[in-house]
Amino acid sequence: MTRRDAARNWQNIVDTGRAFLDEDRPLRLNEVAREASIGVATVYRHFPTAEALLETLARPSLEKLVADAEASLRGDDDEWAAFAGFLTAGINAQLADPAVQPVVAAATHELPETAELVARLNALTGELLAWVHAAGRIRPEVQRADVIRLMCGVVFAATVHAAPSERPALTRRYLNVVLEGLSLRDASGQGRGGDGQGAEDEGQAAADRHAQP
């Protein structure tokens, strides 16, 4: 088999795996091989486990999330808008790519590059959280693990028993609730991060800016 054939098979497997995810079908390598009209041994040679294929599918979105987090840290937004913008970008990524959430939530990873990406993403999340903590804009007990779980939880809550067309609006509503709950309040009762809707709108605006080429 030539390198060109191997590359073509790899791409065919990845494209077929993506179709499985988009159709909400379990990612089973034997079924991927059958759907792609490629030998099972060839599929396993490229991807020894379904998790390796899933991580490969998630990689572009994870790379984009890392870039979003880095942009949030070096951008012109204040600390709360940067933090909210990153949460918004993370939730949008999970909605757009069903490979993201299980890969981020996994305790271990098959591919070294995936482990590096997730570790980098976790570190950047910690930096953003430390920034809003230092500014007194977020509840002091909130930890990095809480933020990651809340991001996954918002998407899960918006997708369970909901039609695909309902999910974006539900996600924005639940993110609004989460941001309102995370922000500290001053003596007047006003959230220091702004009211929930304002904070969520700032986050979406920041995420939109990071998405621009």
Side-chain angles (χ1 to χ4, degrees):
M1 179 182 293
T2 67
R3 289 184 179 180
R4 181 175 298 178
D5 290 335
R8 183 166 54 246
N9 284 338
W10 184 93
Q11 190 62 55
N12 192 3
I13 296 165
V14 168
D15 291 343
T16 303
R18 172 58 62 190
F20 270 55
L21 289 186
D22 291 344
E23 296 166 8
D24 200 23
R25 298 165 62 186
L27 199 62
R28 299 189 178 103
L29 294 184
N30 286 10
E31 294 180 12
V32 169
R34 183 165 52 252
E35 191 89 4
S37 299
I38 293 176
V40 172
T42 299
V43 172
Y44 278 88
R45 186 162 56 248
H46 286 285
F47 301 100
T49 64
E51 288 75 19
L53 176 55
L54 183 68
E55 291 174 19
T56 299
L57 293 170
R59 182 172 181 171
S61 295
L62 292 176
E63 291 173 338
K64 177 64 167 57
L65 269 180
V66 166
D68 287 338
E70 291 172 341
S72 294
L73 284 166
R74 65 171 182 261
D76 296 329
D77 295 320
D78 71 15
E79 60 279 343
W80 183 259
F83 177 73
F86 173 62
L87 262 62
T88 302
I91 288 170
N92 287 344
Q94 292 180 66
L95 277 179
D97 185 352
V100 171
Q101 184 171 352
V103 170
V104 171
T108 59
H109 298 96
E110 291 287 312
L111 306 177
E113 54 267 34
T114 306
E116 292 173 6
L117 275 171
V118 173
R120 177 61 176 155
L121 186 60
N122 288 340
L124 290 165
T125 302
E127 290 182 40
L128 282 163
L129 182 60
W131 189 19
V132 288
H133 270 310
R137 302 288 294 273
I138 194 169
R139 299 172 66 93
E141 69 271 24
V142 176
Q143 301 177 12
R144 184 187 67 188
D146 300 323
V147 174
I148 295 169
R149 290 168 181 154
L150 285 169
M151 290 170 68
C152 292
V154 164
V155 174
F156 177 79
T159 54
V160 66
H161 303 310
S165 61
E166 299 176 299
R167 292 171 186 172
L170 287 174
T171 302
R172 290 178 66 85
R173 185 192 310 167
Y174 298 153
L175 177 57
N176 177 21
V177 172
V178 167
L179 289 171
E180 177 68 11
L182 289 175
S183 65
L184 280 175
R185 295 178 177 275
D186 59 25
S188 69
Q190 175 67 37
R192 293 185 186 175
D195 63 271
Q197 185 60 50
E200 197 273 340
D201 287 343
E202 287 181 7
Q204 185 61 59
D208 290 343
R209 285 194 291 277
H210 298 162
Q212 293 173 358

